[in-house]
Coordinates of all heavy atoms in Angstrom, one line a residue:
I506 N 9.7 -27.3 10.9 CA 9.0 -27.0 12.0 C 7.5 -27.5 11.8 O 7.1 -27.7 10.8 CB 9.1 -25.6 12.5 CG1 8.6 -24.6 11.4 CG2 10.5 -25.2 12.9 CD1 8.4 -23.2 11.9
T507 N 6.8 -27.6 12.9 CA 5.3 -27.7 12.8 C 4.7 -26.5 13.4 O 5.0 -26.0 14.6 CB 4.8 -29.0 13.6 OG1 5.5 -30.1 13.2 CG2 3.4 -29.2 13.5
I508 N 3.7 -25.8 12.6 CA 3.0 -24.6 13.0 C 1.6 -25.0 13.3 O 1.1 -26.0 12.8 CB 3.2 -23.5 12.1 CG1 2.7 -23.9 10.7 CG2 4.6 -23.1 11.9 CD1 2.6 -22.8 9.7
G509 N 0.9 -24.2 14.1 CA -0.6 -24.4 14.5 C -0.8 -25.4 15.5 O -1.8 -26.0 15.6
Q510 N 0.1 -25.5 16.5 CA 0.0 -26.4 17.6 C -1.0 -25.9 18.7 O -1.4 -26.6 19.6 CB 1.4 -26.6 18.3 CG 2.2 -27.4 17.3 CD 2.3 -28.9 17.4 OE1 1.4 -29.3 18.2 NE2 3.0 -29.6 16.6
S511 N -1.1 -24.5 18.7 CA -2.1 -24.0 19.8 C -3.5 -24.5 19.7 O -4.0 -24.7 18.5 CB -2.0 -22.5 19.7 OG -3.0 -21.9 20.6
P512 N -4.2 -24.7 20.8 CA -5.6 -25.1 20.7 C -6.4 -24.1 20.0 O -7.5 -24.5 19.4 CB -6.1 -25.2 22.2 CG -4.8 -25.3 22.9 CD -3.7 -24.7 22.2
T513 N -6.2 -22.9 19.9 CA -6.9 -21.9 19.2 C -6.9 -22.1 17.6 O -7.8 -21.5 17.0 CB -6.4 -20.5 19.5 OG1 -5.0 -20.4 19.1 CG2 -6.5 -20.1 21.0
E514 N -6.0 -22.9 17.2 CA -5.9 -23.1 15.7 C -6.7 -24.3 15.3 O -6.8 -24.7 14.1 CB -4.5 -23.3 15.4 CG -3.6 -21.9 15.0 CD -4.0 -20.8 15.9 OE1 -3.5 -20.8 17.0 OE2 -4.9 -20.1 15.6
K515 N -7.3 -24.9 16.3 CA -8.5 -25.9 16.1 C -8.0 -27.1 15.3 O -8.7 -27.6 14.5 CB -9.7 -25.3 15.5 CG -10.2 -24.2 16.2 CD -11.5 -23.6 15.5 CE -12.0 -22.3 16.4 NZ -13.2 -21.7 15.7
G516 N -6.7 -27.4 15.6 CA -6.2 -28.6 14.9 C -5.7 -28.4 13.5 O -5.1 -29.4 12.8
F517 N -5.7 -27.2 13.1 CA -5.2 -26.9 11.6 C -3.7 -26.6 11.7 O -3.2 -25.5 11.6 CB -6.0 -25.8 11.0 CG -7.3 -26.0 10.9 CD1 -8.3 -25.2 11.6 CD2 -8.0 -27.0 10.1 CE1 -9.7 -25.5 11.5 CE2 -9.3 -27.3 10.0 CZ -10.1 -26.5 10.6
S518 N -2.8 -27.7 11.8 CA -1.5 -27.6 11.9 C -0.9 -28.0 10.5 O -1.4 -28.8 9.8 CB -0.9 -28.4 13.1 OG -1.0 -29.7 12.9
R519 N 0.4 -27.6 10.3 CA 1.0 -28.2 9.1 C 2.6 -28.0 9.3 O 3.0 -27.3 10.1 CB 0.7 -27.4 7.8 CG 1.0 -25.9 7.7 CD 0.7 -25.2 6.5 NE 1.2 -23.9 6.4 CZ 2.4 -23.4 5.9 NH1 3.1 -24.3 5.4 NH2 2.6 -22.2 5.8
T520 N 3.3 -28.7 8.5 CA 4.7 -28.6 8.5 C 5.2 -27.4 7.7 O 4.8 -27.2 6.6 CB 5.4 -29.9 8.0 OG1 5.0 -31.1 8.8 CG2 7.0 -29.9 8.1
A521 N 6.2 -26.8 8.3 CA 6.8 -25.4 7.6 C 8.2 -25.4 7.7 O 8.9 -26.3 8.3 CB 5.9 -24.3 8.0
Q522 N 8.8 -24.3 7.5 CA 10.2 -24.0 7.7 C 10.6 -22.5 7.7 O 9.6 -21.7 7.3 CB 11.0 -24.7 6.7 CG 10.9 -24.0 5.3 CD 11.8 -24.8 4.2 OE1 11.5 -26.0 3.9 NE2 12.7 -24.1 3.6
F523 N 11.7 -22.3 8.3 CA 12.2 -20.8 8.2 C 13.3 -20.9 7.2 O 14.1 -21.8 7.1 CB 12.8 -20.4 9.5 CG 11.8 -19.6 10.3 CD1 10.9 -20.5 11.0 CD2 11.8 -18.3 10.5 CE1 9.9 -19.8 11.9 CE2 10.9 -17.7 11.2 CZ 10.0 -18.4 12.0
D524 N 13.5 -19.8 6.4 CA 14.6 -19.6 5.5 C 15.3 -18.5 6.1 O 14.8 -17.6 7.0 CB 14.3 -19.1 4.1 CG 13.6 -20.4 3.3 OD1 13.7 -21.5 3.8 OD2 13.0 -20.1 2.4
I525 N 16.6 -18.3 5.8 CA 17.4 -17.0 6.1 C 16.9 -15.9 5.3 O 16.5 -16.0 4.2 CB 18.8 -17.3 5.9 CG1 19.7 -16.0 6.8 CG2 19.4 -17.2 4.5 CD1 21.1 -16.4 7.0
T526 N 16.8 -14.7 5.9 CA 16.1 -13.6 5.2 C 16.6 -13.3 3.7 O 16.0 -12.9 2.9 CB 16.3 -12.3 6.0 OG1 15.5 -12.6 7.2 CG2 15.5 -11.2 5.4
V527 N 17.9 -13.3 3.6 CA 18.6 -13.1 2.4 C 18.2 -14.0 1.3 O 18.5 -13.7 0.0 CB 20.0 -12.9 2.4 CG1 20.4 -11.5 3.2 CG2 20.7 -14.0 3.1
A528 N 17.5 -15.2 1.6 CA 17.1 -16.0 0.6 C 15.8 -16.0 0.3 O 15.3 -16.7 -0.6 CB 17.3 -17.5 1.2
S529 N 15.1 -14.9 0.8 CA 13.6 -14.6 0.5 C 13.5 -14.1 -0.9 O 14.3 -13.3 -1.4 CB 13.0 -13.8 1.6 OG 13.6 -12.5 1.4
E530 N 12.3 -14.3 -1.4 CA 11.9 -13.7 -2.7 C 11.8 -12.2 -2.6 O 12.2 -11.5 -3.6 CB 10.7 -14.2 -3.3 CG 10.3 -13.8 -4.7 CD 9.1 -14.4 -5.4 OE1 8.6 -15.3 -4.9 OE2 8.8 -14.0 -6.4
I531 N 11.5 -11.6 -1.5 CA 11.3 -10.2 -1.4 C 12.7 -9.6 -1.6 O 12.9 -8.5 -2.1 CB 10.6 -9.7 -0.1 CG1 9.1 -10.3 -0.2 CG2 10.7 -8.2 0.1 CD1 8.3 -9.9 1.0
M532 N 13.7 -10.3 -1.0 CA 15.1 -9.8 -1.2 C 15.4 -9.7 -2.8 O 16.0 -8.8 -3.3 CB 16.1 -10.6 -0.5 CG 17.7 -10.3 -0.7 SD 18.0 -8.5 -0.2 CE 18.5 -8.8 1.5
A533 N 15.2 -10.8 -3.4 CA 15.4 -10.9 -4.9 C 14.6 -9.8 -5.6 O 15.1 -9.2 -6.6 CB 15.0 -12.2 -5.4
V534 N 13.4 -9.5 -5.2 CA 12.6 -8.5 -5.9 C 13.3 -7.1 -5.7 O 13.4 -6.3 -6.5 CB 11.2 -8.5 -5.3 CG1 10.4 -7.1 -5.5 CG2 10.3 -9.6 -5.6
L535 N 13.8 -6.8 -4.3 CA 14.4 -5.6 -4.1 C 15.6 -5.3 -5.0 O 15.9 -4.3 -5.5 CB 14.8 -5.5 -2.5 CG 15.7 -4.2 -2.3 CD1 14.9 -2.9 -2.3 CD2 16.3 -4.5 -0.9
A536 N 16.4 -6.3 -5.2 CA 17.6 -6.3 -6.0 C 17.3 -6.1 -7.6 O 18.1 -5.5 -8.2 CB 18.5 -7.6 -5.9
L537 N 16.1 -6.6 -8.0 CA 15.7 -6.5 -9.5 C 14.8 -5.4 -9.8 O 14.7 -5.1 -11.0 CB 15.2 -7.8 -9.9 CG 16.4 -8.9 -9.9 CD1 15.6 -10.3 -10.3 CD2 17.4 -8.7 -11.1

Side-chain angles (χ1 to χ4, degrees):
I506 59 173
T507 302
I508 60 174
Q510 294 273 358
S511 169
T513 57
E514 276 38 82
K515 303 179 182 180
F517 299 117
S518 64
R519 69 180 180 89
T520 300
Q522 70 183 61
F523 271 77
D524 293 341
I525 195 163
T526 300
V527 288
S529 70
E530 184 173 355
I531 294 180
M532 176 61 88
V534 165
L535 176 66
L537 289 170

